[in-house]
Amino acid sequence: MDKLNTQNWNCNRDENNFIWLTLDKAGSKINSLNVEILEELLYLLQNIQTTASVAGLVIQSAKHNNFIAGADIEQFNHLETPDAALNIIQQGQSVFKVLADLPYPTVALIQGHCLGGGFELALACRYRVAIEDPKTQFGLPEVKLGIHPGWGGTVRLPRLIGGLKALELIISGRALTAPSAYKMGIVDAVVPLRQAHRAVNHFLLNRPKVRVATWVDRITNLPVIRPILGAWLERKIAMKVNRAHYPAPFAAVLNWIENDIRAEEAFAYEANSISQLMMTDTSRNLVRVFYLQEKLKNYGKIDAATFNHVHVVGAGTMGGDIAAWCALKGIRTTLQDQNVQIMAAAFARALDLFKKHLKEPHQVKAAMDRLMPDPNGYGIRNADLIIEAIVEKIDAKKALFAVLAREAKKEAIFATNTSTIPLEQLSADPKVLARLIGLHFFNPVAKMPLVEVITSDIHDSEVTQKGMAFIRTIEKLPLPVKSAPGFLVNRILMPYLLESIWLIESGIPPTAIDKAAEAFGMPMGPIELIDTIGLDVCLYGAESLRASLGGTIPQTVKTLVEAGHLGKKTNQGFYTYKNGKVIKQTIDKHYRLPEDVTDRLILSMVNSAMACLGEKIIPDRDCLDAGMIFGTGFPPFRGGLMNFVAESGEPLLLQKLNLLAQRYGERFTANSGWNVVNGS
Ligand code: NAI
């Protein structure tokens, strides 16, 4: 067999009798593994097994920048029973076993993403050769989908590099660059592209000894050591996530503790464990989150516009960090502020950001070169996009847009980062309004993936498209939101934050309130969140929402602001802070939280969410869920706020809401959005 092609694989034999299997998934820009591709691979391997004089095998990809990105999530998403899941897992395991058992050397030649099932396939080869390329990355990100590796990853990786290092990769889901993977003992060589064939020939012809874990790493796999290290790993995971909410990393550790990874049974254990995990609500919801993220990405078509130069006005908390992020992502950025000291502080923060994200000093220097101080605003004339992030004062912003209208080039678009001011009020000039959108970033800019792209009838849809394209260019997630008070995220979050203060006013300890929210899955309790945002900022946001939507604000927050207790930044808010660390009161062990506390918190959000849907502030429920997950950290394992509503049952939640309205008054009255959403 010199040539034996299938729909997705090309198979060639070279002059050394080496077989080259090249994966080129039909109809797709990237390679991902599905049942057909695995069946074809098995068919090819079985043919190769019976072919005389084969001396070695290479697996590579025909796709640019992508070896294999993992398993095809779409196919796994539709599995209904643990048995169906087990079948597909066992299929992959048995194909990879045929590959691993071939009697001659095998090489995975890897350029681009080598993730999940793709990484497991590479682990089943005797050698791995990585091409020098920043896109070449190794990782097992399965925990992000609520599962752990299932095609031998939890067995072969601990065998190769020791259990502790392997588990650290599996439970974090983080990706490694090629040099880091080499250092860790995962790949056998990292070479420039031009030397790829030479390197492959070296391994296949000379058959050097395979890399093995160091003795220290091997010790971590010993039966007496595993339970001790395993318990330590479990404690480490439990500090970050709740086992009931995210069982997968705990299951991966348990597999390792309970199994001798040298034994074949370890594969069966892995298969059983993952097929159970695939049936959990957590996994289904995390897959949903993956699709939500894809949906937001698709809003921004990068080729809709080019951004060579961005000018940011306002170098404070937001503007400084937005400018630094743009420069980090490769855009020439000028930063303007009337206060030179604030500019200096922004540049110091930018340097920290670049050092954290960029490995090489020359890359840090290049990023610093891209970010230019521009106190006089010379950059306005050349910028493709001008982002306004000055103080939240309407007159100051209006005056600035008048200047921008005079000085900016005609094609440039304007953006405002305002949290509260409707776009229409930022200029009286329709020509300015036609090119103005809101780009509402969240604080801290570097950590929050979401940007609300605020749209209104006053500008062309082309300007919105460009805004979305810009957000994708800087690798954030654009969410289209109609211009309305609080937009989406703050409109939903604010009633929840205020409810937590009403709870304090009814005598419930802040620590207990935060605990209830955290038990629901929120990354941080609402009281600590208010302290972190700043009580003054929250009060300002609450007052501006009240001005348009009505409602009352609890007195406590006003009293604390008047007293200068603004939260973490002043070391005193609802909690006290020492060296930046929160000090929380302990709760008496006999204290019993009223049973409706979680409902009060969560239904405050649900009620506002219904209003947003009713007012069509966002296109649909999926967008709302995406906004809450990526903009507030709403627990991903719940699949979003509206997914929580669907899972809990709308009639039941409405009933609870009505009960809360009877107990606590008007703020819990179901708004008209409930009727609209339910089509009545
Ligand atoms: P900030 O007070 O930290 O920074 C504002 C900066 O603008 C100051 O450095 C000030 O010197 C400068 N400035 C004021 N007028 C100027 C002018 N005419 N020309 C040049 N510079 C001028 O404010 P922050 O927090 O960065 O907020 C900026 C905008 O972002 C506001 O519209 C705010 O509503 C919005 N926002 C704030 C968030 C936050 O968490 N702080 C989150 C999302 C949006």
Side-chain angles (χ1 to χ4, degrees):
M1 54 139 286
D2 288 336
K3 262 187 187 300
L4 184 71
N5 295 339
T6 63
Q7 199 190 352
N8 298 291
W9 293 91
N10 292 321
C11 175
N12 288 303
R13 185 176 0 193
D14 70 13
E15 65 285 0
N16 291 317
N17 278 323
F18 300 150
I19 303 287
W20 289 73
L21 286 182
T22 307
L23 179 59
D24 191 2
K25 188 176 181 183
S28 171
K29 270 197 209 147
I30 59 158
N31 285 330
S32 58
L33 298 177
N34 60 22
V35 171
E36 296 76 49
I37 289 177
L38 289 172
E39 278 170 357
E40 289 174 21
L41 178 59
L42 182 63
Y43 164 78
L44 291 168
L45 291 175
Q46 283 166 342
N47 264 284
I48 295 164
Q49 272 177 324
T50 57
T51 308
S53 66
V54 172
L57 178 130
V58 189
I59 295 191
Q60 63 173 359
S61 156
K63 307 285 190 201
H64 185 57
N65 282 335
N66 171 253
F67 176 68
I68 300 171
D72 182 345
I73 296 177
E74 187 55 34
Q75 206 163 54
F76 283 78
N77 202 16
H78 299 299
L79 299 170
E80 296 286 336
T81 62
D83 281 349
L86 190 60
N87 262 339
I88 207 164
I89 293 299
Q90 284 173 336
Q91 181 206 18
Q93 284 195 352
S94 58
V95 179
F96 289 5
K97 182 167 164 39
V98 174
L99 175 64
D101 290 347
L102 287 176
Y104 32 75
T106 52
V107 174
L109 177 59
I110 300 152
Q111 182 173 22
H113 291 154
C114 176
L115 303 173
F119 188 11
E120 292 175 291
L121 187 143
L123 286 171
C125 294
R126 195 183 296 179
Y127 306 106
R128 282 152 295 283
V129 173
I131 304 297
E132 272 175 14
D133 181 339
K135 292 255 163 63
T136 302
Q137 298 211 329
F138 296 81
L140 292 169
E142 285 84 348
V143 284
K144 295 179 183 164
L145 298 176
I147 54 175
H148 56 59
W151 287 335
T154 69
V155 184
R156 290 197 178 94
L157 192 60
R159 280 183 189 169
L160 185 67
I161 61 172
L164 194 60
K165 283 184 183 163
L167 260 298
E168 194 275 319
L169 282 180
I170 291 168
I171 63 184
S172 68
R174 80 186 166 97
L176 298 171
T177 58
S180 307
Y182 178 79
K183 244 193 233 159
M184 234 189 216
I186 291 169
V187 297
D188 299 83
V190 183
V191 297
L193 183 59
R194 63 179 189 284
Q195 286 185 7
H197 280 233
R198 232 170 104 187
V200 167
N201 283 341
H202 161 72
F203 284 103
L204 294 183
L205 290 169
N206 302 328
R207 305 183 175 198
K209 272 197 183 149
V210 293
R211 290 186 80 170
V212 287
T214 62
W215 68 269
V216 179
D217 290 332
R218 280 203 305 272
I219 284 176
T220 65
N221 283 331
L222 291 177
V224 284
I225 302 288
R226 289 202 307 268
I228 303 164
L229 286 178
W232 176 75
L233 280 170
E234 283 180 334
R235 277 199 303 278
K236 225 173 115 178
I237 305 168
M239 276 157 66
K240 290 201 172 142
V241 294
N242 182 329
R243 184 191 291 258
H245 298 161
Y246 298 98
F250 294 94
V253 174
L254 190 69
N255 287 353
W256 177 65
I257 297 176
E258 296 205 336
N259 281 285
D260 183 349
I261 43 123
R262 286 166 305 180
E264 279 304 292
E265 292 75 52
F267 289 99
Y269 198 99
E270 177 194 68
N272 276 320
S273 169
I274 182 182
S275 42
Q276 302 296 329
L277 288 170
M278 283 164 96
M279 295 299 116
T280 57
D281 287 343
T282 295
S283 174
R284 288 210 176 90
N285 287 337
L286 291 179
V287 170
R288 172 176 161 73
V289 174
F290 171 83
Y291 283 116
L292 292 177
Q293 183 167 356
E294 293 303 300
K295 178 174 172 128
L296 293 195
K297 282 183 185 170
N298 285 334
Y299 275 117
K301 303 267 172 277
I302 291 194
D303 40 13
T306 312
F307 298 92
N308 295 317
H309 178 181
V310 169
H311 183 79
V312 181
V313 193
T317 312
M318 297 304 291
D321 288 7
I322 293 168
W325 187 263
C326 294
L328 176 73
K329 295 296 161 187
I331 301 178
R332 190 166 76 249
T333 309
T334 39
L335 178 59
Q336 177 184 358
D337 199 291
Q338 59 195 15
N339 183 325
V340 187
Q341 273 153 358
I342 288 180
M343 287 248 278
F347 275 78
R349 288 202 309 279
L351 181 60
D352 288 344
L353 178 84
F354 300 154
K355 281 185 182 161
K356 196 169 157 204
H357 285 258
L358 303 168
K359 288 223 159 101
E360 306 292 334
H362 71 90
Q363 293 173 314
V364 174
K365 185 177 175 306
M368 279 314 268
D369 289 347
R370 282 193 293 272
L371 182 62
M372 287 162 277
D374 182 15
N376 298 316
Y378 296 131
I380 294 171
R381 289 178 201 101
N382 294 321
D384 304 301
L385 168 69
I386 301 166
I387 302 176
E388 171 280 306
I390 65 169
V391 278
E392 191 72 344
K393 289 194 177 137
I394 190 159
D395 290 340
K397 288 188 196 272
K398 265 175 118 167
L400 175 63
F401 280 111
V403 174
L404 298 184
R406 275 200 310 275
E407 294 186 5
K409 60 183 184 187
K410 273 206 307 294
E411 321 77 79
I413 57 172
F414 301 153
T416 172
N417 190 44
T418 178
S419 308
T420 56
I421 306 172
L423 298 186
E424 314 71 66
Q425 293 178 18
L426 290 175
S427 174
D429 181 351
K431 283 205 217 104
V432 171
L433 295 178
R435 61 208 282 212
L436 172 68
I437 46 168
L439 291 181
H440 188 231
F441 287 80
F442 291 86
N443 188 10
V445 174
K447 282 211 178 125
M448 302 300 288
L450 189 82
V451 179
E452 290 178 316
V453 178
I454 314 301
T455 64
S456 87
D457 301 336
I458 51 177
H459 58 246
D460 325 342
S461 63
E462 197 197 326
V463 177
T464 309
Q465 290 310 320
K466 285 187 177 171
M468 305 250 213
F470 168 70
I471 297 305
R472 283 307 297 142
T473 306
I474 58 167
E475 295 176 15
K476 297 270 180 198
L477 298 173
L479 176 72
V481 180
K482 222 169 71 178
S483 180
F487 309 131
L488 177 83
V489 170
N490 288 344
R491 168 93 176 261
I492 297 179
L493 199 64
M494 190 54 75
Y496 159 80
L497 297 180
L498 294 182
E499 193 56 34
S500 69
I501 307 174
W502 289 120
L503 284 165
I504 293 181
E505 292 198 350
S506 66
I508 301 172
T511 316
I513 300 165
D514 276 354
K515 266 200 162 164
E518 283 160 14
F520 178 83
M522 301 304 280
M524 178 187 274
I527 309 291
E528 195 178 342
L529 184 58
I530 296 172
D531 272 359
T532 308
I533 297 171
L535 274 73
D536 51 339
V537 178
C538 284
L539 180 59
Y540 181 80
E543 276 174 343
S544 83
L545 271 178
R546 190 189 48 153
S548 30
L549 301 172
T552 34
I553 299 171
Q555 183 55 41
T556 316
V557 66
K558 297 180 193 165
T559 312
L560 284 169
V561 170
E562 274 160 25
H565 299 323
L566 306 183
K568 198 170 175 182
K569 59 189 168 190
T570 58
N571 288 330
Q572 183 65 55
F574 287 102
Y575 296 117
T576 305
Y577 294 79
K578 204 168 172 197
N579 301 326
K581 287 233 158 67
V582 61
I583 302 167
K584 292 192 175 181
Q585 306 90 326
T586 45
I587 317 168
D588 186 289
K589 66 176 188 291
H590 301 296
Y591 178 76
R592 288 283 161 269
L593 198 67
E595 41 83 29
D596 62 2
V597 167
T598 307
D599 283 346
R600 282 177 66 176
L601 291 171
I602 305 304
L603 287 176
S604 302
M605 286 197 270
V606 171
N607 203 22
S608 309
M610 286 297 185
C612 291
L613 286 170
E615 292 166 31
K616 299 203 179 337
I617 284 171
I618 18 91
D620 54 33
R621 289 176 176 231
D622 285 354
C623 282
L624 193 148
D625 281 351
M628 292 307 287
I629 292 169
F630 300 117
T632 70
F634 185 86
F637 79 92
R638 294 201 182 270
L641 187 60
M642 295 317 293
N643 194 59
F644 164 75
V645 171
E647 283 182 351
S648 311
E650 268 175 50
L652 175 72
L653 293 188
L654 191 55
Q655 213 180 332
K656 286 185 174 187
L657 193 70
N658 290 336
L659 204 67
L660 293 179
Q662 283 167 23
R663 282 186 201 152
Y664 306 106
E666 213 187 335
R667 66 182 186 275
F668 284 107
T669 304
N671 57 60
S672 57
W674 288 84
N675 300 333
V676 177
V677 171
N678 292 313
S680 50

